[in-house]
Amino acid sequence: ALCIQDDPHVKVMMAGSTLRKVKSRSWKKQRHFRLLEDGMTIWYKSRWAGRGHSTFSITEVEAVREGHQSEVLLSIAEEFPADLCFTLVFHGRQGNLDLVAESTEEAQAWIQGVRKLIHKTQTMDEKERLDQWVWDWFNKADKNKDGKMNFKEVRKLLKMMNVEMNEEHALHLFTMADKSESGSLEIEQFVHFYKMLTQRDEVWKVFQDFSGDGEKLMLEELENFLRTEQQEGEQSAQHAQELTDRYEPSESAKKQGAMTFDGFQMYLCSQEGSIFKPEHRQLHQDMSQPLSHYFISSSHNTYLLENQLRGHSSLEAYIKALKRGCRCVEVDCWDGSDGEPVVYHGHTLTSKILFKDVISTLKEYAFKVSNFPVILSLENHCSVEQQTVMAQHLSQILGDTLLTTLVDGLIPQQLPSPQELKGKILLKAKKIGGLEVCLDETLTDEVSDEEEMANGECSDDPPKSKLSRELSDLVVYCKSVHFHGFEHARLHGKCYEMSSFSESKAKKLAKEAGTDFVQYNTKQMSRIYPSGLRTDSSNYNPQEMWNVGCQIVALNFQTAGLEMDLNDGLFRQNGCCGYVLKPDFMRDGSTQFSPEKPDGKQGYKPLRLSIQVMSGQQLPKVNQKEGSIVDPLVRVEIYGVPQDQAREETSHINNNGFNPVWNETLNFVIHTPELALVRFVVEDYDKASRNDFMGQFTLPFTCLQAGYRHIHLLSRDGTAIPPSSLFVNISISELT
Ligand SMILES: *[C@@H]1O[C@H](CO)[C@@H](O)[C@H](O)[C@H]1NC(C)=O
Ligand SMILES: *[C@@H]1O[C@H](CO)[C@@H](O)[C@H](O)[C@H]1NC(C)=O
C-alpha cells in the first residue's frame, strides 16, 4: 500500500534476512524475517517451524534503537558488536524485540528501512490510515495468501473487525464490489466494499443541512457551517478556504471552490476535525514563570516495570516514562556490592539495576521528547561512602547537563523558569545547609568545619555524618525538607525547599486548608507520592492534588487506568512537554482560591457543557472470542474541583460495535473550567457483571472544540487504536 518499495533498504527487507532473535544471554535463535508485499507487515518464522510463523505490523512499532541499547543486548555485548545489534520497541506494553544481524549492511538495511516505514505510517493522512487499517485486516484474514476472499471469508473477516451487518445488505454490496463477477474480492475491491458498508448517515445529514444543492458545499456554505456549528467566529472564511485546499480529494471540486461529501468527511475525521484544539497540541504557554507555577508530569518508583513486591526493575522503565513526557523521575538507591550503588525497591524481591546505568540512561533519553528540565528525585538509603560514589557518577556522566550552580549567582526569591533551565537535570535530595552556604563557598572557596556543623545542626537534615558533602553540594533548587505546617512555611520557607507528602496527608491538607495549600504552592514545590500500602502499584486520583496546585504529583506510570488517563490528558496540552502552566488564580501568592468554594473566586463564571453523543465508529473488540459482539455505551466523566465531579452515560446499544448511533445529550455545569478534565469512556455493557472497558480519551476542558467533532479513542495503556472513534456535537455556553 505504501509506495516506498523502491527504497534500497526496504528492498532488502522484502527479500528477507536471517536475524538472531535474542531473549537473554543464553536464548539466541535464528529466524527468517521479511517484509510482506503490503509494505507494512513483518513476518518471521524459524526454519523448522513448518507452517507456523509470527507477524506484526509496522504500525505497532514505536522506534528502532541502534546498537546495545537494551538490557538484553548489553548482556551479550562482548559476543556481538554494536553495529550488528538493534532493538524494535513496540507501543504499549508489548516487550521489545532484540535482534542481531549477520552483517553491518544488513543491520543498517533493517534499521533504516523500519525507520522509514514508521515515518511513513506517522505521516499518513486519515484516508491512507483507514486504507492501511483495512489492508492489515485483509492480510491477517487471507490465510492462504492468494489475495482473494469469497463472501463467506468476508463475512468472517467483518466479524473479526467488529462489523455486524445485515447479511442481505452486505451481499448486495459485495456483488456490487465484485466487478469481475468472480465470486471473490481482491484487496482493492474489498476496500471499496468496506467503504460502501461504512457510509455515515449522520454525517450525510449534517452535510445536507448546509449544502444548497445536496452535492457540495460552496465556500460560503462551508463558512456558514464553521461559524454556526463549529463556533469558529472570525476565522471561518479563511478556514473554509484552507480546509478545502487541504481535504478535498477532487481537483475539479477544488477548482470550483467547493467541498464534496468525501472532503467533508475527511475534514471531520482529521486532527483538525477532532475534539482537541489543534493550537493547544503545540507548545503555547508562557514558559518563563517560576517552576512552582507549573504542573510537572511526574513518575513514582520509575525503575519498576511491574508491581512493587516482585516486579522487574529496568532501565526500560526510565526510557518509557521519559518518552511519555515525564519530567520528574525517582531513583531509590541502596548500597550495592563492590561499592557500586544499586536501584531497586528496598527489602523486596524486585530485581536490581546499577545506579550508574540509570544515570547513563537518563543522560541519553532525558531530552528526546521535551527540552524542559528533568528533576531527579533521589530516595537515598546509602552509606556516606556510596553516596560519594553516586555524586561522582552524577558529575562524570551528566557533566554540564547537571545543574550544580545558581543560574544567575544570586540567592533566589523565586524559582527559575523552565525556559531558563532548558536542557538541565536538577537533583532533588537532602542538602547540608542552605544556598547561602553555597554562595559563601564560591566567594571564599572554603568553609570552616565549625560553619558546617552549625549549618548542619540548625536544619532538619539528618545528622551531618549521614550525608555525603559531595552529594549535598549537587543539590541547588530542590532541597528536600520536612514540612512543619503552612504557617511555618510562610515565615521561614525558602523557594528552593520542597517537601514530600503521602497521598493521605495531602488529601487531608487539601480538605482542611485548601487555600493555604494553594498559596504555599505558588512559591514552593510539593511532591505527592502514593501510599506505601499500594503494593500492587495502583494509583491515587491526581486531580485532588492538582486542585490545590501541587506540582509534582507522582504516579506509577507502569500502571494503566483512570489515573494515568488523567495524567496523559492534562499533559496532552502544551506540546506534551511535561509542563502545564497553572491557572492565574493559582500563581498569585495572596490568592483566596479554594477548590471547595469555587464560586468565591474573582471572575467566577460557570459554564454549561452539553455533549450530544451521536455515534461510534469501528469500536475495538474487547473479547476476542469468535461471535461475540459488543453492547457499547458512552460515559462522560468530569474531573475537577469537588463540585465539578460528575458522570453521565448513554444507554447501551445492543450488538453493535461497528456503527452504533446513540444520539443522546449529556449535560454538565462546570464551575472551575480552568481545572476540569473531561474523560470519554466507551464500555461494553454487561448485565450480569462489570462492564468491559473498550476505549477512552481524556482532555482538559479548555482544549475542547465546540461543534461536530470526532474523538479518536485510546486503548487502556494510552496507545491509539485507529480507526475507533466517537462522533459528538458539543456546545459550551455561559450559565445564565
Ligand atoms: C437525534 O435527536 C434529535 C433531537 O432529539 C432529533 O432531532 C434527530 O432527528 C435525531 N437524529 C437521529 C439520527 O436519530
Ligand atoms: C448540534 O448542536 C447544536 C447546538 O446545540 C444544535 O443547534 C444542533 O441541532 C445539534 N445537531 C444535531 C444533529 O442535533
Side-chain angles (χ1 to χ4, degrees), residues 517-540:
F517 214 164
V518 176
Q519 287 182 0
Y520 170 85
N521 281 325
T522 61
K523 177 173 151 199
Q524 289 181 258
M525 295 212 282
S526 52
R527 172 176 167 272
I528 318 300
Y529 58 91
S531 151
L533 298 175
R534 296 183 185 270
T535 51
D536 56 352
S537 293
S538 59
N539 281 313
Y540 57 92

Side-chain angles (χ1 to χ4, degrees), residues 336-398:
S337 50
D338 311 329
E340 277 297 338
V342 291
V343 174
Y344 79 112
H345 203 61
H347 311 301
T348 64
L349 296 174
T350 60
S351 58
K352 297 173 186 172
I353 43 183
L354 290 178
F355 176 77
K356 65 176 179 190
D357 287 345
V358 171
I359 303 306
S360 299
T361 302
L362 196 57
K363 163 106 177 154
E364 170 92 25
Y365 288 94
F367 304 108
K368 290 237 197 257
V369 303
S370 166
N371 286 324
F372 293 107
V374 170
I375 298 170
L376 174 57
S377 178
L378 211 58
E379 195 81 30
N380 178 3
H381 308 277
C382 292
S383 63
V384 175
E385 291 71 32
Q386 294 212 5
Q387 288 178 32
T388 304
V389 175
M390 284 162 62
Q392 283 159 359
H393 286 321
L394 284 166
S395 309
Q396 274 160 17
I397 297 170
L398 298 179

Side-chain angles (χ1 to χ4, degrees), residues 282-328:
Q282 315 300 322
L283 189 71
H284 70 283
Q285 295 179 331
D286 175 8
M287 300 307 284
S288 64
Q289 304 211 19
L291 277 188
S292 55
H293 289 185
Y294 297 84
F295 296 122
I296 305 173
S297 180
S298 303
S299 107
H300 176 248
N301 285 351
T302 314
Y303 45 90
L304 288 181
L305 274 177
E306 298 150 47
N307 75 42
Q308 293 177 6
L309 291 184
R310 20 188 106 250
H312 184 51
S313 306
S314 172
L315 299 174
E316 200 61 41
Y318 284 91
I319 301 175
K320 278 193 191 299
L322 290 165
K323 286 213 156 165
R324 211 160 164 176
C326 172
R327 296 288 90 188
C328 176

Side-chain angles (χ1 to χ4, degrees), residues 229 612 614 708 729 731:
E229 299 296 330
Q612 185 182 8
M614 302 183 71
Y708 293 102
N729 179 18
S731 91

